[in-house]
Amino acid sequence: MTAHLKLDKPQSDRLGDMAQGVIGRETPRREGPLKVTGRAPYAAEVGDGTEAVGVFARATIAKGKVTKIGLDAVRALPGVCAVITDERLLRNPAQGTANTAPVQGGRDVAYFGQPIALVVAETYEQARHAAHGLEIAYDAAEDAAVTPEDAEPESLESKQIDIGDLDTAMSHAAHSMDATYTTPSQNSAAMEPHASIAVWKGDELTLHGSYQMLKFNRNELADSLGVDPEKVQIKSPYVGGGFGSKLGIAPEAVGAALAAKELGRAVRVVLTRPQVFEATMRRSETRQRVRLAADADGKLTGIGHSAWVSNLVGEAFSEPVAQATHFTYGGANRSYRHLIHRVNRTCAGSMRAPGEAVGMLALENAMDELAHAAGVDPVELRLKNIPDRHPEDDKPYSSRRFADCLTEGARAFGWHKRNPTPGQTRDGEWLIGLGMASAARGNILSESHARVTLHSDGTATVETDMTDIGTGTYTILGQITAEMLGLPLDRVNVALGDTAFPPASGSGGSWGAGSSGSAVFVACQNIRAALAEKLGMEEDQLTLTEGSVIRNNTREPLSAVLDDDLTVEGHIEPGDTSEEVQQAAFGAHFAEVAVSAVTGETRVRRMLGCFAAGRILNEQTARSQCHGGMIFGIGAALTEELVHDPRDGHIVNHNLAEYHVPVNLDIPQLEVMFLEERDAHANPLQSKGIGELGISGAGAAVTNAIFNATGVRVRDYPATLDKVLPGLPDI
Amino acid sequence: MSLHTTLWINGETYALDADPRTTLLDAIRDHFNLTGSKKGCDHGQCGACTMIVNGRRINSCLTLACMHDGDEITTIEGLGQPGAMSALQEAFVRHDGFQCGYCTPGQVCSATAMLEEVSQGWPSHVSEDLEGPAPLSEAEISERMSGNLCRCSAYPGIVNAIRDAAEGGTT
Amino acid sequence: MRAFDYARATSATDATAKAAAGATIIAGGTNLLDLMKLEVMAPEQIVDINRLDMNRIEHTESGGLRIGALVTNSDLAVHPVVRRDYAVLSRALLAGASGQLRNKATTGGNLLQRTRCGYFYDTAMPCNKREPGTGCQARDGFNRILAILGTSEHCIATHPSDMAVAMRALDAEVEIESATGIARTIPLVDLHVLPGETPHIETTLDEGDLITAVILPPPPGGVHRYRKVRDRSSYAFALVSVAAVLRIESGKIASCALAFGGLAPKPWRVAKVEDALTGQEPSPEIFDKAADILLADAKGYGANDFKIPLARRTLKAVLRESVEAAQ
């Protein structure tokens, strides 16, 4: 049986009606005991030890053609069983939701670090050495564009927008801001490197991979190999972090599959950490010009956000920098430009909150600058500029407790203690400052399927190819099912991450929980209906609780009323509510920093995020998602920068010693507040995405706090000490 | 060339005949199929491979298996199992001291040995006094755990879990 | 990693003999294996000295300390005598790397760490240190972490150790056994050499030489400080570090030893800086004068220009704090 819901109208809170107290409750991750004891198997770990091992050899020029590969020398090395130089090898991973193969063909080099050949040997030690020694000759192109300045930018027509007349608004403004901000390339740096084991049985391929969006990945892999998707199965029950870097099929999966086919045996390919940096996805560097025009009270009359980003030739993705600028603040005169430099650098793709993560660094930094210039409190400035309706298309907002996030967050943080004059608060050597920023992230529903079975023994099973990349999916889908079917959580089994199961939305764009959860909800709702019919009652009269049915004031175990399993495949799809209203989650970040007056080193002392994102499905895992986002924001603000060599574009710091993701000591105890909210337009769970809200704006709160502490305005992220140093007082 | 090495892992003896290039981490993951210890960087820059060797936490990716003939090694599998977790493992679950779980075995091994270092009075970079006692403050835990990266950024939960387990007694 | 023959040394003599015959000595291995995986170093023979009896910390007859070359960074940092009498060394060690790495890294190995220069670490890049004569990409490339003092046109690498900086301030000596069985002791200052025209030569050690111990002179007394400035609050290499041992008598600086990390190809110490301070009443002016002397020949290469003001400020702050603590 299948059940389908297209979201053409707002939904009642049927989930809330259940009143089981399971949904929303702080519930530890159900797979937690497996993870903390090392028993959860990740992609590279499911083999039986007989796999051959592949290691990539990379391009060491920025652009050109491979003219010769020294196959013979390497094939003669101990243990080497194959060198794959197949035309089907990927130049770079597929973009998220691409659903088709990315650019293929190993002979045309588009960036330094591009995988050129896969060397396969009996052992990892043999393969690594052989790959390192593989001689590759090139015909290097003279016209490589290794920095954005090397390439005239393309203009994306649909993103050049002018509403009203911003230039005039700027010239008439009582207060205005016109500044340029830059953010560097970044890397998701998930702790598990990209890994695949490919196993063929005849013409059927099983790929154990580490991927976020399996239904797309299956098609991308099949298309890359030139086989029927029906013949491809991908399994990713555990994914060691993604953050966007595992959205699309990547070189190691295709390499493993090609090698396994050629050798007639299983092949394992795990990218080295430098290869994760060089050959998966980076977040594009950005240059952003933000213009703000305001009247004497600080009310915006105009807003402009122009962005320059980069990517390889042939990539449709470009960092959507101004995404949140469109709907966060009012102002009648608006202008946007979006320009893309085609560069010979590692592919740019989605990294946690593409768009907002960097766009709000600039926008919220600029808002702080405007507040300072206008003498308006930064919280107050934002409150003044919350529009009634979408300022560009006049749509109403679905749910939006943006103002409450600002005011309640400010109260909880003690914002009123902030001295608006920079550089006034000192604690010994340390200059203390407070800063804040808004958070906003658009909400999306994505088509999703899930199969739920209520077994005759009173247990339930959920099956979907949805992934849990640390987001809490195993737990949340269990909670939704338990809530809807009145079951104790431990009677719900959740099976994920296998394309043999119904196709889900996948994890990305913050839509995973809402979308896959809604598919589960729809299935459960129809199981309830079927059960009610079986029992001769209306669904809304059916009370299920603690594994029992209550009717006629008597309680019967479900196992007593079920003589057979009830299975429903739920299917949710976006509809008119995605078009009719502006859906987004909102929040506010508050940070206290200490900046060394001697060295310019910044330490975050306190940070609070106050968020409204519809129903919170599990307060514990949601809080952890917000922590994760906020800490990514701290990294973006203070330490993270992929450095491209100016001569060949290669990533110089392609390791975790010199690409500085925050360490434990960089992070204080963070406070996260959730405001009660329901969003009837978002989905039947009335939830909104939370995975990327926490990063949106977070870093700007930190740099704004640096300004308050020191008077130094850092517009070139990250705010490493060298950028703060020149503005510090003499010692 | 193949070398014979005997390792004592989680109280059991394991015989390894392998290429001398094999790291302790790869030996245990690939040859003995104890895959709880993770490879995040292979260069001692993330801590996911942390094991306890002769009572000390180390990065098992940066040492050769053949250098450890006869050594006593504890991996995550030796600290507990689902249904019989150590106090620290239980605290990690309770405090959500992880998300994707990939760095977690390293975090747990590291924290287990770190608490032993604290009990022996080892100071840290953030200790006010090199010679005095080092109370297990938030900063002390954070500094001592900074060799274990967590990109999901479960640091607040990790600190709370360690503190809870340490205050609760044995780990 | 290139295939190699592995042997376990049975004695120091055995180790030096094997090393003289071309083997590379492995102790903690935390840097060597890192580099071998990338084939930045590719030895064909490895001699493992971990089972040798060189992991003791003992008092010397002159009242100093003899630290066996295999003493781990952890054991050295937490040794009660080191914590009490050589606090600058404990502090430097604890500021370095991570708990796990300190448990493996050894005293001898730490002295012989290679630079963190990104061009040295990538075999696709020219590098005079790795492949003499190929050129230096760092000068016009990413050099944020690289040196401003003691560089040459051929190399601007920094020595990454914290431990060695503190040892330099403590006037440590290095005990070396050669393949001919002769033991010698040299001042630490004479262990590392500047790159000049031969950046691939980093020390004065000969083939077959084995560092067996580091000798610290009797405790210097005074105030000990080690300040490390870096891009993260922990687990990052130094941008600038300052080791200071300072004594005040009658309101004047009676003695001071100052060594610097993150600035140069070797632990950096300048006698004239200390001379300028010794016998003087502490003041911002005299601290500035010391910084002037330290940085007189400093040269930035773009991304590391900031190290010049940073070193000045850090030195001044360390001096001020040390004086305050001493008074």
Side-chain angles (χ1 to χ4, degrees), chain B residues 11-47:
Chain B
E12 289 179 39
T13 172
Y14 287 79
L16 177 72
D17 284 290
D19 189 322
R21 290 176 287 184
T22 310
T23 63
L24 183 61
L25 176 65
D26 288 333
I28 289 178
R29 276 172 65 83
D30 295 348
H31 292 257
F32 304 144
N33 205 30
L34 291 170
T35 56
S37 308
K38 303 305 179 196
K39 185 188 283 193
C41 73
D42 215 15
H43 287 274
Q45 299 162 353
C46 77

Side-chain angles (χ1 to χ4, degrees), chain A residues 195-243:
Chain A
S196 287
I197 294 178
V199 186
W200 290 89
K201 275 193 189 138
D203 62 351
E204 295 189 348
L205 170 66
T206 301
L207 188 100
H208 304 274
S210 184
Y211 284 99
Q212 297 179 225
M213 296 195 159
L214 301 194
K215 75 177 175 198
F216 299 106
N217 304 136
R218 171 157 81 164
N219 290 337
E220 290 154 3
L221 179 57
D223 191 31
S224 301
L225 298 171
V227 303
D228 181 350
E230 292 297 317
K231 302 284 189 188
V232 174
Q233 181 179 11
I234 300 183
K235 295 184 178 188
S236 298
Y238 297 98
V239 178
F243 317 111

Side-chain angles (χ1 to χ4, degrees), chain B residues 3 13-14 16 23 46 52 61-65 67 73 84 86 114 139 147 165 167-168 171:
Chain B
L3 272 182
T13 172
Y14 287 79
L16 177 72
T23 63
C46 77
I52 304 170
C61 73
L62 276 192
T63 194
L64 299 171
M67 292 161 68
I73 296 156
S86 73
M114 180 276 283
E167 286 168 2
T171 59

Side-chain angles (χ1 to χ4, degrees), chain A residues 58 60 112 125 128-130 132-133 274 278 426 429-430 596-601 603 638-639 643 645-648 650-667 720-722 725 728-731, chain C residues 1-3 36-40 116-119 121-125 136-142 144-145 227-237 239 284 288 303 306-307 309-310 312-318 320-321:
Chain A
R58 62 173 180 163
T60 55
F112 192 112
E125 290 76 20
R128 178 179 55 189
H129 175 62
H132 187 269
E278 289 182 332
R426 220 174 156 123
E429 173 186 313
W430 298 89
S596 166
V598 173
T599 63
E601 292 163 287
R603 304 282 184 254
L638 297 179
T639 56
V643 180
D645 184 88
R647 292 151 300 195
D648 57 20
H650 90 271
I651 295 166
V652 185
N653 57 342
H654 57 212
N655 61 65
L656 290 170
E658 272 90 16
Y659 181 79
H660 290 133
V661 307
V663 297
N664 200 315
L665 189 62
D666 289 321
I667 304 304
T720 45
L721 61 90
D722 48 302
L725 209 50
L728 294 179
D730 287 338
I731 65 159
Chain C
M1 193 182 292
R2 185 202 282 193
M36 283 170 62
K37 287 180 183 189
L38 300 167
E39 302 207 14
V40 174
R116 295 298 311 182
C117 176
Y119 301 91
Y121 256 83
D122 190 335
T123 52
M125 293 292 126
C136 174
Q137 291 288 95
R139 287 174 62 96
D140 299 319
F142 174 57
R144 174 180 177 76
I145 59 173
R227 176 141 188 184
K228 180 175 181 179
V229 185
R230 45 185 159 175
D231 275 331
R232 293 194 286 217
S233 55
S234 188
Y235 204 16
F237 290 92
L239 295 168
D288 259 321
F306 72 94
K307 284 190 175 186
L310 180 63
R312 171 180 298 276
R313 297 173 73 93
T314 309
L315 170 60
K316 288 176 69 178
V318 167
R320 191 178 59 206
E321 275 172 35

Side-chain angles (χ1 to χ4, degrees), chain A residues 28-29 31-42 44-45 47 49 123-126 128-129 187-193 239-241 243 268 273-274 351-352 468-471 620-621 624-625 627-629 631-632 640 655-659 661-670, chain B residues 19 21-23 26 29-31 33 35-43 45-46 48 76-78 80-83 85 89-90 92-96 98-105 107-108 125-126 138-143 145-146 148-160:
Chain A
R29 281 165 214 277
E31 79 287 10
L34 291 175
K35 286 180 172 173
V36 302
T37 60
R39 265 74 172 187
Y42 295 79
E45 299 163 359
T123 70
Y124 170 61
E125 290 76 20
Q126 292 165 337
R128 178 179 55 189
H129 175 62
N187 186 281
S188 292
M191 296 310 300
E192 180 201 21
V239 178
F243 317 111
R268 179 178 78 212
R273 181 54 62 178
M351 173 172 153
R352 200 172 201 161
D468 187 332
I469 61 171
T471 37
Q620 186 171 37
T621 53
S624 291
Q625 283 283 291
H627 283 165
I631 295 170
F632 260 67
E640 288 185 39
N655 61 65
L656 290 170
E658 272 90 16
Y659 181 79
V661 307
V663 297
N664 200 315
L665 189 62
D666 289 321
I667 304 304
Q669 284 293 320
L670 305 175
Chain B
D19 189 322
R21 290 176 287 184
T22 310
T23 63
D26 288 333
R29 276 172 65 83
D30 295 348
H31 292 257
N33 205 30
T35 56
S37 308
K38 303 305 179 196
K39 185 188 283 193
C41 73
D42 215 15
H43 287 274
Q45 299 162 353
C46 77
I76 188 68
E77 289 90 347
Q81 48 191 302
M85 293 186 281
Q89 287 168 324
E90 284 180 353
F92 266 71
V93 174
R94 201 161 53 241
H95 290 277
D96 214 25
F98 59 96
Q99 294 194 49
C100 81
Y102 198 77
C103 74
T104 314
Q107 300 275 0
V108 171
H125 171 62
V126 299
E138 184 187 314
E140 284 284 358
I141 295 172
S142 289
E143 161 59 19
M145 292 300 294
S146 280
N148 292 85
L149 303 185
C150 172
R151 186 55 158 167
C152 296
S153 302
Y155 296 132
I158 290 167
V159 171
N160 290 334

Side-chain angles (χ1 to χ4, degrees), chain A residues 117-186:
Chain A
L118 184 74
V119 180
V120 187
E122 294 295 333
T123 70
Y124 170 61
E125 290 76 20
Q126 292 165 337
R128 178 179 55 189
H129 175 62
H132 187 269
L134 186 67
E135 298 260 1
I136 303 170
Y138 307 95
D139 182 5
E142 299 291 317
D143 62 342
V146 297
T147 72
E149 293 71 37
D150 290 345
E152 276 300 307
E154 294 170 6
S155 157
L156 191 63
E157 243 3 88
S158 62
K159 288 192 170 183
Q160 322 302 315
I161 300 167
D162 287 290
I163 299 167
D165 181 350
L166 181 60
D167 289 338
T168 304
M170 287 292 286
S171 61
H172 292 161
H175 305 286
S176 66
M177 256 299 308
D178 182 349
T180 297
Y181 303 83
T182 55
T183 65
S185 294
Q186 299 171 338

